[in-house]
């Protein structure tokens, strides 16, 4: 759980995660929150807490999460936002899709099943989500329903393979990671996931979203140019 100002929702998310009886260890990385996130995390059972010395960003937060997960011998790693926006009840399903060895990555999609709109995702997020997904599918050649979910499962082997340290420390990290997975030739699986939008579940503001959107387009373009051998990028090194 990459956490930032998640004090009001961290415990509910954590309770529901543990109620699935399948998760061995929860890793909470607190990105120097202004609220009680770190203190609440420290009280949670089966949890490793790491606090960043300053606000390093959402991508930097995930880098720390995955490093810690590998250090703690995780075989299947599930990233979920601790803002209680995605139901942890899908963890067993997502984990079993990884353990089947059919997929190295599974996304909980808010678009499949129409949950984004049913869950009150604002139109100013929904329309760009659909547009970015459309353009990214063309540039990457994948057929995903969305690239922007905060609910993702990975295999250990995948996390060991990806050059995550080359990625941004900001929100576009999420997008760079998915395109890297495609770059290495993996198929990304998706399942439909209910989502709900309420005050604590959504803090990213309009201008940061705009920056993220352009970052996504740039990432997909670099992916395509690298595929065409027109550009070299540290994000997309030659597959071993
Ligand atoms: N680590 C870190 N996470 C952040 C920061 N700002 C926002 N987030 C997290 O980014 C995630 C996505 O933001 P959110 O506002 O929930 O977006 P939305 O749910 O897609 O509308 C949430 O889990 C936030 O806690 C930050 O500065 N650092
Ligand atoms: Mg959210």
């Amino acid at each position: 759980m990459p956490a930032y100002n998640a004090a009001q929702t961290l415990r509910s998310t954590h309770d529901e995660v543990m109620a699935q009886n399948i998760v061995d260890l929860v890793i909470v990385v607190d990105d120097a929150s202004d609220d009680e996130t770190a203190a609440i995390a420290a009280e949670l059972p089966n949890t490793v807490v790491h606090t960043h010395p300053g606000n390093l960003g959402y991508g930097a937060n995930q880098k720390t999460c995955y490093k810690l997960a590998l250090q703690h011998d995780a075989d299947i790693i599930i990233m979920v936002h601790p803002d209680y926006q995605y139901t942890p009840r899908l963890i067993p399903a997502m984990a079993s899709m990884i353990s089947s060895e059919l997929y190295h990555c599974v996304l909980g999609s808010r678009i499949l099943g129409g949950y984004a709109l049913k869950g009150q995702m604002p139109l100013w997020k929904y329309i760009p989500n659909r547009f970015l997904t459309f353009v990214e599918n063309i540039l990457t050649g994948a057929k995903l329903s969305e690239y922007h979910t905060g609910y993702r499962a990975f295999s250990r082997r995948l996390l060991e393979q990806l050059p995550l340290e080359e990625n941004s420390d900001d929100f576009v990290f999420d997008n760079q990671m998915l395109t890297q997975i495609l770059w290495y030739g993996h198929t990304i699986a998706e399942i439909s996931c209910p989502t709900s939008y309420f005050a604590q579940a959504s803090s990213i503001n309009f201008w940061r979203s705009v920056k993220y959107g352009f970052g996504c387009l740039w990432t997909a373009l670099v992916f395509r140019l690298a595929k065409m051998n027109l550009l070299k990028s540290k994000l997309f090194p030659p597959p071993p």
Side-chain angles (χ1 to χ4, degrees):
M1 294 182 186
Y4 181 63
N5 292 345
Q8 296 191 51
T9 51
L10 178 59
R11 200 183 291 277
S12 334
T13 314
H14 187 280
D15 285 352
E16 206 173 312
V17 165
M18 293 317 289
Q20 308 313 311
N21 287 322
I22 188 177
V23 173
D24 298 312
L25 184 70
V26 177
I27 293 170
V28 177
V29 176
D30 168 46
D31 201 25
S33 298
D34 303 318
D35 65 7
E36 299 298 300
T37 297
I40 292 170
E43 291 170 0
L44 298 172
N46 305 93
T47 302
V48 167
V49 187
H50 179 91
T51 301
H52 279 171
N55 185 235
L56 305 183
Y58 173 72
N61 195 327
Q62 279 191 66
K63 289 177 191 174
T64 308
C65 286
Y66 299 135
K67 243 182 273 164
L68 288 170
L70 292 177
Q71 276 170 20
H72 283 85
D73 292 328
D75 298 312
I76 297 172
I77 299 91
I78 304 207
M79 190 280 286
V80 64
H81 289 172
D83 60 6
Y84 207 44
Q85 192 163 23
Y86 304 84
T87 174
R89 282 189 279 168
L90 287 171
I91 287 176
M94 292 167 79
S96 78
M97 285 172 80
I98 302 284
S99 69
S100 70
E101 298 189 351
L102 285 173
Y103 301 106
H104 287 286
C105 173
V106 181
L107 305 182
S109 166
R110 303 163 294 179
I111 300 298
L112 290 178
Y115 286 116
L117 290 179
K118 278 186 242 171
Q120 315 293 322
M121 181 190 277
L123 278 179
W124 73 264
K125 285 191 174 180
Y126 181 76
I127 292 167
N129 179 315
R130 304 296 286 147
F131 170 75
L132 291 172
T133 300
F134 175 76
V135 176
E136 292 196 83
N137 276 337
I138 291 172
L139 289 171
T140 63
K143 298 280 178 294
L144 295 179
S145 68
E146 72 158 320
Y147 290 75
H148 317 288
T149 173
Y151 198 8
R152 302 161 177 226
F154 308 102
S155 72
R156 178 182 188 89
R157 218 181 88 207
L158 183 67
L159 292 191
E160 287 172 340
Q161 182 182 34
L162 300 179
L164 297 179
E165 285 303 320
E166 303 297 340
N167 293 355
S168 162
D169 285 341
D170 204 354
F171 285 109
V172 78
F173 173 95
D174 263 353
N175 219 253
Q176 294 171 326
M177 188 173 182
L178 291 186
T179 49
Q180 284 170 331
I181 295 168
L182 297 171
W183 177 260
Y184 281 91
H186 302 293
T187 301
I188 297 175
E190 294 182 276
I191 59 173
S192 51
C193 174
T195 183
S196 53
Y197 274 77
F198 50 98
Q200 295 91 345
S202 201
S203 59
I204 179 168
N205 69 28
F206 180 76
W207 288 111
R208 293 207 62 190
S209 302
V210 169
K211 184 179 172 213
Y212 168 76
F214 280 106
C216 292
L217 294 176
W218 178 249
T219 303
L221 189 64
V222 170
F223 174 97
R224 178 49 44 200
L225 294 174
K227 266 265 183 256
M228 295 164 79
N229 280 321
L230 295 174
L231 187 96
K232 284 199 189 332
S233 165
K234 282 184 179 170
L235 293 190
F236 307 115

